[in-house]
Amino acid sequence: MAAPPARARADYDFLIKLLLIGDSGVGKSCLLLRFSDGSFTTSFITTIGIDFKIRTVELDGKRIKLQIWDTAGQERFRTITTAYYRGAMGILLVYDVTDESSFNITFLIVPLFFIAVPTSKGQALADEYGIKFFETSAKTNMNVEEVFFSIARDIKQRLAETDSKAEPQTIKITQPDQAGGAAQAAQKSACCG
């Protein structure tokens, strides 16, 4: 089954599929819950396979339906979750700043708080790959909306630019001129008639 088109439905202008990826326990589900439901919990159940939530937002006068997929961080689910990468328009790499091993992943970089990985190290990696960097906290709601709105705005702009480049071109058909085009016109009519 083909992926749904990214544009123009009755209740939204753009559909954007985002992925949250990162090691197990870094806070991907907490970040998603904070953004989608506006809540936070210190107790969580490990994501098995994949989960997703939807939130529709308005950006620059357009309704954007964000479909956000929360992938399991455990190695044993890697083969399951990679199938969901297809059709993704944006990826948020989430790591735990209290655990440097969660940072050592080779995407928008979204650290969650308590400093074992300094901000400068996260920013340097983002700069190296030419991607945006946000420090967030699902617990305090710091930069949660900003990170999702930023990536949605960038993708919406890219989709709008793609749409404007795909404008149909007008082809003008004219009658052949009397002298030079008579043989050409006879040749064309012979093939079609």
Side-chain angles (χ1 to χ4, degrees), residues 44-64:
F44 70 94
I45 299 171
T46 302
T47 303
I48 297 176
I50 198 152
D51 189 16
F52 80 96
K53 293 200 177 280
I54 293 176
R55 179 171 167 194
T56 303
V57 299
E58 187 159 324
L59 290 174
D60 308 322
K62 298 289 185 183
R63 289 184 51 79
I64 313 292

Side-chain angles (χ1 to χ4, degrees), residues 107 109 119-133:
F107 340 110
I109 297 179
T119 302
S120 59
K121 194 169 183 178
Q123 184 66 60
L125 181 65
D127 292 345
E128 179 182 339
Y129 287 99
I131 54 181
K132 291 183 179 177
F133 175 84

